[in-house]
């Protein structure tokens, strides 16, 4: 029985799509094609050539196989003789779909009206387009289920009347309602568009839904039929196009017409759609030579399960996948194309060097678009991305780096005086606030402190959304995360208002200071015009997000690692006290970035053209990503990779190329990495010159997602204690030459030590 129901549904979808494709290219009569549906439901009928007037004849035997499967299933049903007549009558009417898909609206309307006029319309369907819609939406499932056991003539007649009448009309009109925007954009025929206004359409839809539920309840075992119809109505109303913010109120009113059960089912089904990995897609004619590309091995668990596991414990999940499936492996996330994780350095090298027209990294960063805006250089590809990077590079020159160093030291000294001593506290929130202040002062150097204080508060409120799953999972914005999302939208609007005000005020200045905002105001687009306020806003938000979220999170991991590794902390303090050449500090920062990178993978590359890598050819819409965490924990490159040992960056041989990638690689490598490394180094020097860091718990905190990065799950709780030995005592030892420390020379030619380039 399940095979019969699936085969009959596939035939209906296939014929609908086949008729549509034929009518787009020719005026071929699709009625012979639709005879396949009646033959499928009649085991005694002879098989025919269903492609008599259809332009595509070679389907590999697909349609004939479906017809034979249906006939076999029907012949096995004990009550089939009772339902045969009703099934064939309903199936024959589906041929109206061939008229429905005529691309010429004048010819289509005339043909449908003529067809409706030749059929007697019952009072329940007073208009021609409702009659044709319901007739074309006939589904045989209820009658086939009834045929699974002997039934009386009266029962068959009653069920046929309801499912071929009000239920079929509800199916057709709700389907048209859910696809209204898509049909309007593509020029497809829309039944819902025949109503004189949206209000009239909504009123009529409520009547149709109410009539379908009422008729279903009056059938024998009516509670079962009412449940099925309520589920069907809720399923259509839960589609993204019907449940979106623009139509949510309309869909809610239609659901109320279906009763309490429909109202309760609609949000449940929206959640199901959000977590279910298998999307229903329109069946298309087979294309010769096009086969589904094989992907690397990966978990067979539902995408919702994979998403949950990776969300809860990302580090252990990635390591288990590598242990079980090797690399590369495939990961399936809710609502996303397949993601293929790469951890082989040669594969990563090829990935970063791939042409921009083949692999688009901009699409892989769409998660942060609500924050940075659609015009951000982070989200652009090819030439547009490079132009955006060039616009901000003048703000990152060597003079800016030197000025930034002094700014960081001043803020760090001021901030740490307010941090509690000798008691556990979460460092990450304080580090976020501090790094955001530094970023704002770098961007808006001449803005009054009072204005920046307000902007600082608004930005912290806006960026709170990065700690919620609603940013990466849009489906949650209409359910449990609705309140979080609305709070974010309000905060973003307040922030944007102030940023645009600062931009407009700065435009009136005759001279622009050499800060980031001044650099963007002096830039021009391809036509030689100054950048628009919206474009500058998006670029500024990109710099703000990247300039403080990643740095503060990396510092939070630094405090965790130093607190739980007192030996490394003691050696680092000793170097700081002796004012040595920062080799061990540089090595420590590199080891922090290796051991706990905040980016677990580089920006995913969306495959736009077939791309061969490691013997596998990837096709759209697959996305490829270099897994930074797994590369950094490759025991063949880093012996004992889970041990925190800064000395490995002071030893030889050199770390191979593409084995240290905390800031990504290729065209999307972070342009401000020098400032970030400087900031991490300066904060650690400032803190450790005055105090020591101690753990607040026995174990290091595990990783928690915050937008596209990971942070310590409890905010990196540590205990700070004042140093027992003041740093100035070490000045007395200057008469004794310090041992010369080895150079931090483990970076390859292609991945040089950024710190050594500027300090």
């Amino acid at each position: 029985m399940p095979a019969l129901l699936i085969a009959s549904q596939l035939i209906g979808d296939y014929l609908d799509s086949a008729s549509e494709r034929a009518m787009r290219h020719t005026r071929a009569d699709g009625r012979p094609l639709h005879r396949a549906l009646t033959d499928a439901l009649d085991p005694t009928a002879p098989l025919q050539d269903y492609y008599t007037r259809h332009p595509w004849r070679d389907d590999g035997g697909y349609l004939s196989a479906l017809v034979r499967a249906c006939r076999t299933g029907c012949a096995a049903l004990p009550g089939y003789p009772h339902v045969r007549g009703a099934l064939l009558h309903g199936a024959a009417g589906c041929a109206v779909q061939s008229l429905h898909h005529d691309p010429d609206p004048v010819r289509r309307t005339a043909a449908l009206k003529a067809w409706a006029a030749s059929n007697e319309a019952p009072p329940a369907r007073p208009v021609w387009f409702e009659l044709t819609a319901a007739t074309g939406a006939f589904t045989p499932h209820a009658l086939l289920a009834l045929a699974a056991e002997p039934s009386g003539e009266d029962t068959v007649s009653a069920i046929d009347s309801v499912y071929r009448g009000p239920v079929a009309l509800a199916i057709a009109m709700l389907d048209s309602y859910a696809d209204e925007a898509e049909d309007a954009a593509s020029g497809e025929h829309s039944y819902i568009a025949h109503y004189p206004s949206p209000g009239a359409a909504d009123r009529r839809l409520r009547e149709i839904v109410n009539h379908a539920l009422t008729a279903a309840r009056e059938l024998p075992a009516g509670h079962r039929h009412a449940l099925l119809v309520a589920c069907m109505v809720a399923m259509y109303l839960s589609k993204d196009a019907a449940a979106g913010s623009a139509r949510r109120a309309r869909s809610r009113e239609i659901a109320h017409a279906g009763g309490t059960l429909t109202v309760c089912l609609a949000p449940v089904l929206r959640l199901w759609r959000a977590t279910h990995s298998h999307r229903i897609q329109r069946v298309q004619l087979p294309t010769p030579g096009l086969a589904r590309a094989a992907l690397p091995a990966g978990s067979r668990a539902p995408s919702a399960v994979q998403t949950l596991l990776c969300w809860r414990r990302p580090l252990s999940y990635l390591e288990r996948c590598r242990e079980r499936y090797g690399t590369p492996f495939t990961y399936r996330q809710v609502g996303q194309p397949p993601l293929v994780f790469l951890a082989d350095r040669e594969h990563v090298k090829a990935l970063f060097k791939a042409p921009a027209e083949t692999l688009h990294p901009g699409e892989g960063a769409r998660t942060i678009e609500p924050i940075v805006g659609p015009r951000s250089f982070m989200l652009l590809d090819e030439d547009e991305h490079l132009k955006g990077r060039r616009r901000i590079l003048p703000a990152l020159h060597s003079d800016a780096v030197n000025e930034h160093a002094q700014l960081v030291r001043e803020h760090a000294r001021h901030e740490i005086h307010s941090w509690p001593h000798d008691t556990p506290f979460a460092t990450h929130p304080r580090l976020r606030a501090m790094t955001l202040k530094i970023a704002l002062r770098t961007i808006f150097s001449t803005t009054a402190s009072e204005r920046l204080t307000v902007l600082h508060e608004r930005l912290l409120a806006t960026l709170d959304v990065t700690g919620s799953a609603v940013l990466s999972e849009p489906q949650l914005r209409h359910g449990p995360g609705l309140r979080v999302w609305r709070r974010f939208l309000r905060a973003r609007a307040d922030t944007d208002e102030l940023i645009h005000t600062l931009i407009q005020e700065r435009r009136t200045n005759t001279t622009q200071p050499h800060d980031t905002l001044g650099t963007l105001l002096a830039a021009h687009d391809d036509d030689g015009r100054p950048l628009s306020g919206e474009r500058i806003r998006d670029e500024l938000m990109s710099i703000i997000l990247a300039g403080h979220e990643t740095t503060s999170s990396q510092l939070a991991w630094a405090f965790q690692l130093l607190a739980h590794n007192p030996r490394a902390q003691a050696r680092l303090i000793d170097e700081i006290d002796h004012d040595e050449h920062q080799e061990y500090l540089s090595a420590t920062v590199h080891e922090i970035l290796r051991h706990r990178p905040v980016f677990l993978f580089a920006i995913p590359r969306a495959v736009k053209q077939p791309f061969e890598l490691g013997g596998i050819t990837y096709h759209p819409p697959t996305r490829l990503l270099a897994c930074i965490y797994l590369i950094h924990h490759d025991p063949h490159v880093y012996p004992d990779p889970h041990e925190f040992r800064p000395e490995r960056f002071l030893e030889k041989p050199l770390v191979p190329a593409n084995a240290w990638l905390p800031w990504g690689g290729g065209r999307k490598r972070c342009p401000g990495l020098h400032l970030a490394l400087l900031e991490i180094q300066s904060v650690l020097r400032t803190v450790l010159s005055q105090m020591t860091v101690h753990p607040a718990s026995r174990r290091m905190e595990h990783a928690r997602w915050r937008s596209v990065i990971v942070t310590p799950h409890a905010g990196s709780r540590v205990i700070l204690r004042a140093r027992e030995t003041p740093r100035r005592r070490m000045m007395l030892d200057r008469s004794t030459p310090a041992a010369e420390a080895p150079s931090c020379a483990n970076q390859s030619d292609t991945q040089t030590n950024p710190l050594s380039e500027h300090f």
Side-chain angles (χ1 to χ4, degrees):
M1 184 64 178
L4 170 59
L5 295 176
I6 293 172
S8 64
Q9 182 63 48
L10 285 174
I11 289 179
D13 290 342
Y14 183 89
L15 297 182
D16 185 28
S17 182
S19 294
E20 179 180 355
R21 289 186 64 179
M23 294 301 290
R24 284 178 178 177
H25 298 277
T26 175
R27 293 188 61 184
D29 191 340
R31 284 176 291 185
L33 186 68
H34 278 273
R35 275 201 289 267
L37 185 56
T38 56
D39 288 355
L41 298 174
D42 186 3
T44 63
L47 295 176
Q48 306 176 49
D49 179 7
Y50 306 112
Y51 292 99
T52 301
R53 303 182 185 179
H54 198 277
W56 291 283
R57 301 182 56 83
D58 185 10
D59 66 357
Y62 179 71
L63 182 57
S64 297
L66 291 176
V67 170
R68 287 193 295 271
C70 283
R71 292 159 68 95
T72 301
C74 289
L77 296 176
Y80 183 77
H82 295 289
V83 302
R84 176 179 177 275
L87 281 172
L88 296 181
H89 182 68
C94 288
V96 74
Q97 290 180 359
S98 61
L99 303 177
H100 162 74
H101 289 304
D102 193 319
D104 186 328
V106 176
R107 189 172 62 226
R108 178 180 62 226
T109 299
L112 289 173
K113 284 184 175 180
W115 187 94
S118 65
N119 291 267
E120 183 177 355
R125 295 188 300 235
V127 291
W128 63 270
F129 61 87
E130 289 185 353
L131 174 62
T132 57
T135 304
F138 167 74
T139 55
H141 303 81
L143 291 173
L144 290 173
L146 187 64
E149 56 185 51
S151 302
E153 294 282 346
D154 294 340
T155 304
V156 172
S157 176
I159 290 179
D160 178 48
S161 175
V162 170
Y163 279 88
R164 197 156 51 87
V167 172
L169 179 59
I171 291 173
M173 288 305 179
L174 287 171
D175 182 57
S176 183
Y177 168 77
D179 294 340
E180 184 177 10
E182 181 181 345
D183 290 341
S186 61
E188 299 289 342
H189 178 216
S190 172
Y191 279 118
I192 204 76
H194 288 291
Y195 291 110
S197 67
D202 290 353
R203 287 192 296 272
R204 181 57 179 152
L205 274 177
R206 292 195 292 270
E207 293 175 1
I208 291 170
V209 168
N210 182 266
H211 184 205
L213 266 296
T214 301
R217 292 189 192 98
E218 294 174 353
L219 290 172
H223 63 284
R224 296 166 58 186
H225 293 283
L227 174 62
L228 290 173
V229 175
C231 287
M232 177 270 296
V233 173
M235 181 62 76
Y236 279 109
L237 295 178
S238 69
K239 294 180 69 173
D240 291 343
S245 57
R247 312 186 78 186
R248 194 174 300 128
R250 296 175 62 190
S251 298
R252 190 181 300 116
E253 292 297 321
I254 297 170
H256 276 288
T260 304
L261 182 59
T262 307
V263 173
C264 294
L265 283 172
V268 174
L269 290 173
R270 279 200 299 272
L271 182 61
W272 177 85
R273 287 181 183 275
T275 57
H276 201 272
S277 60
H278 302 292
R279 301 298 186 195
I280 300 175
Q281 298 180 349
R282 176 172 290 184
V283 178
Q284 295 184 344
L285 285 172
T287 303
L290 181 60
R292 182 179 180 181
L295 293 175
S299 174
R300 294 186 179 183
S303 61
V305 175
Q306 296 186 47
T307 303
L308 178 62
L309 291 175
C310 191
W311 179 263
R312 287 179 61 85
R313 293 296 178 97
L315 306 187
S316 57
Y317 180 76
L318 292 175
E319 296 208 42
R320 284 200 302 269
C321 286
R322 178 171 63 178
E323 180 181 353
R324 183 168 184 179
Y325 308 110
T327 56
F329 63 83
T330 301
Y331 163 70
R332 299 184 185 276
Q333 182 180 349
V334 170
Q336 296 292 332
L339 291 167
V340 177
F341 281 72
L342 307 173
D344 181 278
R345 297 191 306 279
E346 292 303 316
H347 292 174
V348 170
K349 179 180 179 181
L351 181 74
F352 289 158
K353 289 187 175 181
E357 63 271 14
T358 301
L359 301 180
H360 276 195
E363 294 184 27
R366 290 292 168 186
T367 297
I368 59 174
E369 181 177 341
I371 297 175
V372 301
R375 295 162 292 269
S376 165
F377 71 92
M378 290 182 173
L379 309 184
L380 301 176
D381 286 296
E382 303 183 39
D383 291 342
E384 289 300 315
H385 171 70
L386 294 177
K387 292 174 184 176
R389 287 175 67 97
R390 294 190 189 106
R391 278 194 290 267
I392 66 171
L393 284 178
L396 305 177
H397 55 74
S398 58
D399 291 341
V401 171
N402 294 329
E403 294 172 5
H404 191 73
Q406 179 62 27
L407 183 65
V408 171
R409 286 192 292 269
E410 291 175 359
H411 276 274
R413 283 195 295 266
H414 179 269
E415 291 293 329
I416 63 175
H417 284 301
S418 65
W419 293 1
H421 290 190
D422 304 317
T423 185
F425 75 103
T427 60
H428 184 240
R430 295 172 184 268
L431 290 167
R432 278 189 66 218
M434 181 183 71
T435 55
L436 181 57
K437 288 179 182 178
I438 295 171
L440 293 181
R441 182 52 68 186
T442 303
I443 295 170
F444 305 96
S445 64
T446 62
T447 302
S449 298
E450 297 79 9
R451 304 288 291 276
L452 287 189
T453 299
V454 175
L455 181 58
H456 182 266
E457 294 172 353
R458 293 185 181 182
L459 280 167
L460 285 177
T462 301
L463 296 175
D464 276 344
V465 74
T466 58
S468 170
V470 302
L471 184 62
S472 57
E473 299 295 340
Q475 299 89 343
L476 299 179
R477 299 170 191 172
H478 309 303
L482 178 60
R483 182 176 299 178
V484 174
W485 189 247
R486 286 178 174 173
R487 186 164 60 243
F488 160 70
L489 294 178
R490 290 193 297 269
R492 185 183 65 180
D494 292 341
T495 300
D496 288 352
E497 180 184 12
L498 182 51
I499 289 178
H500 281 295
T501 299
L502 295 175
I503 293 172
Q504 287 301 116
E505 289 177 354
R506 184 71 73 84
R507 284 192 191 275
T508 62
N509 292 348
T510 56
T511 59
Q512 293 294 342
H514 296 297
D515 58 11
T516 308
L517 178 55
T519 299
L520 291 174
L521 287 170
H524 295 81
D525 60 19
D526 293 340
D527 298 326
R529 294 174 298 188
L531 300 181
S532 66
E534 291 76 14
R535 188 62 171 271
I536 294 176
R537 177 267 175 205
D538 289 358
E539 305 290 26
L540 291 177
M541 285 300 296
S542 303
I543 297 169
I544 290 170
L545 180 65
H548 98 281
E549 280 281 2
T550 55
T551 307
S552 61
S553 297
Q554 200 66 74
L555 278 167
W557 282 120
F559 282 111
Q560 279 290 295
L561 288 165
L562 291 174
H564 286 271
N565 293 274
R567 182 195 59 80
Q569 182 181 173
R571 180 171 175 180
L572 180 56
I573 288 175
D574 185 64
E575 180 186 81
I576 292 173
D577 285 348
H578 283 86
D579 281 333
E580 294 177 356
H581 301 296
Q582 305 184 22
E583 286 89 352
Y584 195 74
L585 175 58
S586 178
T588 301
V589 171
H590 279 70
E591 178 68 349
I592 291 168
L593 293 167
R594 181 204 69 83
H595 197 283
R596 282 293 185 270
V598 295
F599 292 105
L600 298 187
F601 45 79
I603 294 176
R605 269 64 172 172
V607 179
K608 308 306 291 185
Q609 300 175 12
F611 179 68
E612 194 276 333
L613 186 64
I616 300 176
T617 301
Y618 297 99
H619 297 269
T622 304
R623 292 181 178 177
L624 308 177
L625 51 85
C627 187
I628 295 171
Y629 178 79
L630 292 181
I631 293 170
H632 285 189
H633 289 76
D634 184 348
H636 297 97
V637 180
Y638 301 104
D640 301 318
H642 295 285
E643 179 185 348
F644 181 74
R645 192 169 62 84
E647 288 78 8
R648 72 174 82 242
F649 283 91
L650 300 173
E651 299 166 351
K652 292 185 178 182
L654 303 179
V655 172
N658 296 314
W660 190 77
L661 302 165
W663 311 110
R667 298 175 183 85
K668 290 290 184 173
R669 191 183 182 198
C670 176
L673 61 89
H674 307 308
L675 296 181
L677 286 167
L678 163 69
E679 199 162 334
I680 296 170
Q681 185 186 39
S682 298
V683 171
L684 291 181
R685 284 182 61 87
T686 304
V687 172
L688 295 178
S689 66
Q690 303 180 39
M691 57 192 70
T692 55
V693 187
H694 301 268
S697 58
R698 293 174 56 190
R699 295 184 178 181
M700 269 190 59
E701 297 175 19
H702 64 259
R704 181 193 68 176
W705 285 104
R706 185 176 180 87
S707 180
V708 294
I709 61 177
V710 291
T711 62
H713 80 277
S716 187
R717 290 172 57 81
V718 298
I719 301 171
L720 296 181
R721 292 195 172 98
R723 292 274 304 279
E724 296 179 0
T725 305
R727 182 184 174 195
R728 59 178 173 269
R729 187 186 71 81
M730 308 308 299
M731 301 296 292
L732 301 176
D733 300 333
R734 288 302 174 87
S735 59
T736 303
E740 185 176 352
S743 173
C744 184
N746 63 327
Q747 299 304 308
S748 68
D749 293 338
T750 59
Q751 183 80 43
T752 57
N753 183 349
L755 291 173
S756 65
E757 296 175 7
H758 296 282
F759 306 103

